[in-house]
């Protein structure tokens, strides 16, 4: 996922707590699809396993009506390696592959696959299986990923119909979430000066290695069931003397490999996926019946005080009919169909009660009993309860139609319409509910929405096409795990609308393809505290792919973009996103405030944000360029190489005097050698060992930054039989 920005304009992957779970497209986190079906939401519990893919589609713009209800922006669609059942295995008859990857920082991956095509009762059949296992260390100390993936598929077909069934199982452990560096100041980013010191006012009184709520309350107190270690500027800030560092205050240099992590952190996830596709030649067109299932179970704990447990499963059924037709001189290619989707989610989290503080830990000393906060998984008598315990169920019954019309020899129209009937029900039985009327009561709602898109294109001579698109989409407004919050149903705003206007040029010949797109999109975004904001994104995207000769090729991409959040209104209006603030924003010396946590419940209470602001967690400018050489077949085999780099513009926070993460450029290089059924590939990332930083997504962008990985290499060997 991290490397998609090297080839696809408009894409960028910041740090979603250090886990490469999803990519950002056009300033927003992209949805993840599997063979055209939207998966269960992944709130940073595991990295998306795109390495086991035959094809990855990065779609910028709208979600096709055929794929379901979605917001404008973009998504990533993965076609698994099991698609080889119908391709390579069909040509080879049978296939067995084994491979291994070794790399820096203890990277160790092994994979294997096997498949066969054969005749079954006079019909073509195929079987394929793929397995992958990783047990590695990593550049970041304390992050030790272990994961297992299995994918399988079976096909059966004759001249009129085909059937494919398949699925995947994935489990991972050790991909611990981290904000990277805490106690972030501009001096730390620019010069590496990390402020050291401990706050000894809070202590582990019972010696169990963590701070329980009663131990925190003993030092700073509580207010209406929430901890005073967290201070909201919305209600006035009253810093406690216990917030000040009082032992070992000074400065030190941090290794980029040292990040906020502890042995008590938890990060494990399992997913199960299954699908079935049946296609039938019916009259002038093709009938397709599809079923999809996906599930997620995940547990998280970050020792600064956040814990979560996610359980989700999605079932989707889809029937579509694709057919051509004519009307006078006009010709059409059309798809009509219906779908039904059910999403069940349980989200348990602890952060509302405020027993957390990201800056208490001195990273030069590592975790101690005075900065590890308790979690609900310990199930102690005086332990932490689940602040949020949300059970949510949504359904979406839809009709859709897509039409591609050839109006003249040069003029074409692509249009779609989708009608969705959404239902949602939720109940929150957590221990910390700010509005008592919303607790322990199931809320239900339903709504009917129409989404549509029209794209007009005109083909000039020499393969140049100009197009203009307008789209308006509707989908459910969900939390990071895909559930609908109770207050969204109570306020009848659980449907998120979005709008896109786009225009551009595309050009293509046998040796050169290029595109230029200009877009403007509006969409809503909800944060973990239920605040809903309106965002407007604008951008220009360009890409070029050039086959210079039979041996040389080049590709490049350029993006210029900006995302702005609409004015949240005056303080007290209850609008604007939740923001964690550094002590300096409140006029405190950093060492006097690192023992606690300061925040704005609503961005509306920060004067500099009341007129709207630019979201800086995605860079304004991105660019990439690569050159590839491929040799002819020789007596010793074939070989090739790719080299190039990416440029990422400045990122950072949005408040007054926010941290700024400098722009950077990274070099990448790969070589391969292949002879008969043996292939060796070597790859180097960050060739020049550049020092750089990635912005933290969500609430900690003002107080955290993830140091980028240093130079990394890996070598892979694959043998086919």
């Amino acid at each position: 996922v991290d490397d998609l920005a090297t080839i696809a304009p408009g894409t960028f992957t910041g740090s979603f707590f250090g886990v490469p779970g999803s990519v950002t497209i056009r300033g927003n986190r992209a949805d993840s699809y599997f063979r055209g079906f939207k998966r269960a939401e992944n709130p940073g519990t595991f990295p998306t396993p795109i390495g086991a893919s035959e094809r990855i589609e990065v779609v910028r713009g709208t979600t096709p009506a055929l794929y379901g209800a979605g917001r404008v922006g973009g998504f990533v669609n993965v076609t698994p390696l099991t698609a080889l059942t119908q391709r390579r295995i069909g040509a080879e008859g049978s296939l067995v592959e084994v491979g291994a990857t070794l790399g820096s920082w203890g990277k160790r991956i092994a994979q294997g696959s096997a498949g066969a095509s054969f005749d079954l009762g006079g019909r073509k059949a195929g079987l394929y299986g793929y397995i992958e296992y990783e047990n590695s260390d990593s550049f970041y100390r304390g992050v030790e990923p272990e994961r297992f993936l299995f994918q399988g598929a079976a096909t059966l077909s004759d001249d009129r119909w085909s059937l494919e069934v398949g699925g995947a199982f994935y489990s991972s452990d050790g991909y611990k979430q981290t904000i990277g560096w805490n106690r972030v100041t501009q001096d730390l980013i620019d010069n590496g000066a990390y402020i050291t010191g401990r706050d000894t006012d809070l202590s582990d009184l019972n010696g169990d290695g963590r701070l329980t709520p009663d131990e925190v309350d003993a030092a700073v107190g509580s207010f209406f069931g929430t901890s005073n270690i967290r201070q909201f500027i919305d209600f006035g800030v009253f810093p406690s003397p216990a917030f000040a560092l009082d032992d070992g205050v000074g400065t030190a240099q941090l290794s980029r490999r040292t990040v906020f992590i502890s042995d008590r952190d938890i990060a494990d996830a399992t997913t199960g996926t299954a699908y079935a596709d049946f296609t039938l030649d019916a009259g002038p067109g093709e009938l397709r019946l599809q079923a999809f299932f996906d599930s997620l179970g995940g547990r998280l704990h970050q020792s600064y005080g956040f814990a979560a447990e996610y359980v989700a499963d999605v079932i989707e059924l889809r029937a579509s009919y694709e057919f051509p037709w004519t009307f006078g001189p006009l010709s059409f290619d059309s798809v009509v169909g219906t779908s039904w989707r059910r999403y069940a989610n349980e989200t348990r989290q602890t952060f509302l009660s405020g027993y957390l503080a990201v800056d208490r830990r001195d990273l030069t000393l590592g975790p101690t009993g005075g900065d590890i906060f308790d979690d609900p998984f310990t199930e102690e008598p005086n332990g932490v309860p689940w602040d949020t315990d949300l059970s949510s169920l949504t359904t979406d019954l839809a009709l859709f139609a897509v039409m591609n019309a050839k109006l003249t020899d040069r003029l074409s129209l692509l249009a779609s319409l989708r009608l969705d009937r959404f239902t949602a029900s939720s109940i929150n039985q957590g221990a910390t509910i700010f509005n008592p009327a919303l607790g322990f009561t199931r809320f239900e709602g339903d709504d009917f929405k129409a989404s549509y898109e029209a794209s007009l294109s005109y083909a000039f001579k020499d393969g140049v096409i100009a197009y203009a698109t307008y789209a308006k989409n509707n989908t459910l407004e969900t939390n990071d795990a895909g559930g609908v919050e109770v207050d969204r149903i109570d306020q009848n705003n659980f449907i998120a609308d979005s709008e896109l206007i786009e225009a551009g040029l595309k050009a293509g010949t046998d040796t050169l393809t290029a595109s230029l797109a200009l877009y403007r999109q509006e969409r809503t975004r909800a944060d973990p505290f239920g605040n809903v904001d309106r965002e407007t994104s604008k951008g220009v995207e360009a890409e070029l792919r050039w086959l210079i000769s039979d041996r040389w090729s080049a590709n490049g991409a350029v993006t210029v973009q900006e995302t702005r959040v609409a004015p949240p209104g005056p303080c007290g209006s209850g609008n604007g996103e939740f923001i964690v603030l550094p002590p300096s924003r409140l006029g405190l010396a950093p060492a006097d405030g690192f023992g606690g946590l300061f925040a704005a419940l609503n961005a509306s209470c920060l004067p500099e944000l009341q007129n709207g602001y630019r979201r800086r967690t995605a860079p304004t400018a991105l660019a990439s360029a690569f050159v590839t050489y491929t040799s002819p077949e020789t007596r010793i085999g074939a070989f090739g190489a790719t080299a190039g780099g990416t440029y990422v513009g400045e990122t950072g926070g949005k408040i007054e005097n926010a941290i700024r993460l400098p722009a950077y450029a990274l070099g990448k290089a790969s070589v391969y050698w292949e002879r008969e059924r043996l292939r060796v590939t070597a790859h180097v990332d960050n060739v020049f060992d550049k020092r750089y930083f990635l912005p933290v997504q969500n609430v900690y962008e003002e107080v955290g930054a993830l140091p980028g990985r240093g130079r990394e290499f890996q070598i892979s060997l694959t043998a086919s039989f």
Side-chain angles (χ1 to χ4, degrees):
V1 171
D2 290 340
D3 288 334
L4 290 180
T6 64
I7 57 171
T11 62
F12 173 70
T13 303
S15 170
F16 192 79
F17 298 100
V19 180
S22 62
V23 65
T24 296
I25 300 179
R26 293 184 172 179
N28 291 275
R29 198 171 63 160
D31 292 326
S32 178
Y33 282 72
F34 186 88
R35 302 182 74 256
F37 287 86
K38 186 177 179 182
R39 301 196 61 181
E41 296 286 352
N42 174 16
T45 54
F46 65 94
T48 303
I50 65 174
S53 308
E54 182 190 79
R55 184 172 67 253
I56 303 169
E57 298 167 323
V58 180
V59 181
R60 307 187 306 274
T62 62
T63 303
L66 175 66
Y67 279 15
R71 283 181 284 197
V72 302
F75 63 93
V76 176
N77 183 40
V78 169
T79 299
L81 278 170
T82 47
L84 290 172
T85 307
Q86 299 171 317
R87 295 177 178 85
R88 184 175 173 188
I89 294 174
E92 299 283 343
S94 64
L95 174 71
V96 176
E97 285 189 345
V98 294
T101 299
L102 297 175
S104 52
W105 318 115
K107 178 180 282 294
R108 298 177 295 268
I109 303 174
Q111 70 267 355
S113 60
S117 60
F118 51 92
D119 183 85
L120 183 63
R123 297 180 174 89
K124 298 177 181 179
L127 291 173
Y128 183 80
Y130 175 87
I131 191 170
E132 183 175 289
Y133 176 71
E134 177 180 8
N135 188 351
S136 301
D137 297 323
S138 75
F139 177 79
Y140 303 115
R141 297 186 180 98
V143 179
E144 300 171 350
E146 182 178 7
R147 60 185 177 88
F148 171 82
L149 171 67
F150 170 77
Q151 292 176 174
T155 62
L156 184 65
S157 63
D158 67 8
D159 293 337
R160 290 197 61 222
W161 60 267
S162 66
L163 172 68
E164 179 175 350
V165 295
F169 172 80
Y170 177 86
S171 67
S172 71
D173 186 22
Y175 281 98
K176 297 178 180 179
Q177 289 194 353
T178 176
I179 63 169
W181 284 357
N182 65 351
R183 302 186 180 182
V184 174
T185 63
Q186 198 63 48
D187 193 25
L188 173 63
I189 298 299
D190 296 341
N191 304 308
Y194 181 78
I195 298 174
T196 63
R198 294 189 307 129
D199 165 36
T200 61
D201 293 282
L202 273 70
S203 60
D204 174 22
L205 300 176
N206 62 7
D208 62 359
R210 54 184 176 266
L211 293 171
T212 55
D214 55 338
E215 291 170 337
V216 177
D217 292 345
V220 298
S222 62
F223 182 74
F224 282 100
T226 62
S227 176
N228 287 339
I229 201 171
R230 179 185 61 194
Q231 302 268 310
F232 285 126
I233 67 169
D234 312 54
F235 311 114
V237 175
F238 308 98
S240 167
F243 290 177
L245 305 181
D246 50 32
D247 179 57
V249 179
T251 60
Q253 295 287 311
L254 275 181
S255 166
R256 286 180 288 165
R257 299 189 60 200
T258 299
V259 293
F260 196 112
I261 212 90
S262 98
D263 291 339
R264 290 187 179 270
D265 291 352
I266 299 171
D268 56 59
T270 59
T271 68
T273 308
Y275 66 89
D277 279 12
F278 176 77
T279 59
L280 173 68
D281 290 338
E286 182 180 81
L287 175 67
R288 191 172 190 183
L289 305 177
Q290 298 172 277
F292 176 74
F293 170 81
D294 195 35
S295 66
L296 165 69
R299 300 191 313 154
L300 292 173
H301 175 234
Q302 294 161 280
S303 50
Y304 62 72
F306 176 77
E309 185 173 44
Y310 304 109
V311 179
D313 62 75
V314 55
I315 299 172
E316 187 167 349
L317 306 176
R318 184 186 300 166
S320 59
Y321 183 62
E322 182 177 354
F323 61 98
W325 57 289
T326 59
F327 181 77
L330 306 180
S331 60
F332 303 85
D333 289 314
S334 301
V335 180
V336 296
T338 183
S339 66
W340 177 79
R341 179 180 173 90
R342 176 188 182 273
Y343 195 103
N345 168 252
E346 296 177 15
T347 298
R348 301 178 185 92
Q349 295 175 325
T350 177
F351 64 89
L352 292 173
S353 56
Y355 290 93
L356 74 172
V358 296
D359 287 329
R360 286 191 58 79
R361 180 173 304 167
D362 182 344
L363 295 184
T364 65
L365 300 175
T368 68
D371 55 53
I372 295 177
F373 287 78
D374 198 11
D375 64 86
F377 300 113
T378 59
E379 298 182 352
E380 296 179 335
N382 295 323
V384 178
W386 289 113
D387 291 335
T388 295
D389 188 352
L390 179 75
S391 177
S392 170
L393 178 65
T394 62
T395 64
D396 177 11
L397 178 62
L399 298 172
F400 57 84
V402 183
M403 177 192 69
N404 187 18
K406 191 77 171 178
L407 303 179
T408 69
D409 289 342
R410 297 186 180 277
L411 188 65
S412 299
L413 174 66
L414 175 66
S416 68
L417 174 66
R418 182 179 174 92
L419 306 176
D420 293 276
R421 183 183 183 273
F422 299 103
T423 69
S425 67
S426 294
I427 182 172
N428 189 348
Q429 302 179 80
T432 307
I433 300 174
F434 293 146
N435 185 348
L438 301 182
F440 293 86
T441 301
R442 181 168 291 278
F443 286 76
E444 298 181 349
D446 63 85
D447 207 346
F448 177 86
K449 292 291 184 180
S451 301
Y452 50 89
E453 176 184 2
S455 183
L456 194 65
S457 60
Y458 184 84
F460 296 94
K461 294 181 179 181
D462 302 322
V464 178
I465 298 174
Y467 72 93
T469 300
Y470 176 80
K472 192 172 183 63
N473 286 14
N474 292 278
T475 190
L476 292 163
E477 182 67 68
T478 62
N479 59 25
D480 284 340
V484 174
E485 300 288 347
V486 170
D487 53 350
R488 299 278 71 80
I489 301 176
D490 178 55
Q491 298 170 19
N492 196 31
N493 63 353
F494 61 93
I495 306 297
D497 66 310
S498 55
E499 182 182 57
L500 171 71
I501 300 173
E502 182 175 338
L505 296 171
K506 297 181 179 181
T509 67
D510 292 339
T511 59
L512 182 69
T513 60
S515 70
L516 176 68
L518 296 86
Y519 71 89
R520 180 186 187 276
Q521 65 184 36
E522 289 189 9
R523 53 185 282 175
T524 58
R525 171 172 164 170
D527 73 6
F529 276 78
N531 304 309
V532 178
D533 297 291
R534 192 75 177 175
E535 294 184 343
T536 300
S537 299
K538 301 177 182 179
V540 180
E541 300 163 345
E543 62 180 323
L544 175 71
R545 301 180 186 277
W546 182 21
L547 183 62
I548 303 170
S549 70
D550 289 344
R551 303 292 165 224
W552 291 91
S553 63
N555 69 278
V558 175
T559 302
V560 178
Q561 61 186 2
E562 180 183 81
T563 298
R564 294 195 64 85
V565 178
C571 184
S573 62
N575 295 324
E577 60 188 324
F578 175 85
I579 307 172
V580 176
L581 301 170
S584 59
R585 177 59 184 79
L586 306 173
L588 296 174
D592 291 336
F594 280 158
L597 184 141
F598 303 97
L601 185 59
N602 303 112
S604 58
C605 288
L606 293 169
E608 67 267 32
L609 304 183
Q610 289 180 1
N611 294 323
Y613 51 90
R614 183 162 72 88
R615 191 175 299 287
R616 299 178 183 270
T617 50
T620 299
L622 290 156
S624 65
F626 288 84
V627 175
T628 299
Y629 172 78
T630 305
S631 79
E633 192 70 35
T634 69
R635 287 182 300 173
I636 62 171
F639 58 91
T642 295
T646 60
Y647 168 83
V648 178
E650 181 184 271
T651 56
K654 54 184 173 287
I655 64 172
E656 185 178 60
N657 297 321
I659 58 171
R660 292 289 179 262
L661 308 181
Y664 59 89
L666 301 180
K668 297 174 181 283
S670 297
V671 296
Y672 84 92
W673 171 79
E674 187 174 50
R675 183 178 183 184
E676 296 179 348
R677 296 182 177 271
L678 189 66
R679 182 182 180 93
V680 179
T681 303
H683 181 72
V684 181
D685 270 320
N686 195 0
V687 174
F688 304 106
D689 199 22
K690 175 72 174 180
R691 181 179 183 270
Y692 68 102
F693 295 90
L694 294 170
V696 178
Q697 309 295 312
N698 280 9
V699 299
Y700 293 116
E701 63 201 69
E702 310 293 339
V703 297
L706 181 69
R709 299 193 303 269
R711 184 186 297 113
E712 295 179 308
F713 69 89
Q714 66 180 44
I715 184 169
S716 300
L717 172 66
T718 304
S720 303
F721 307 95

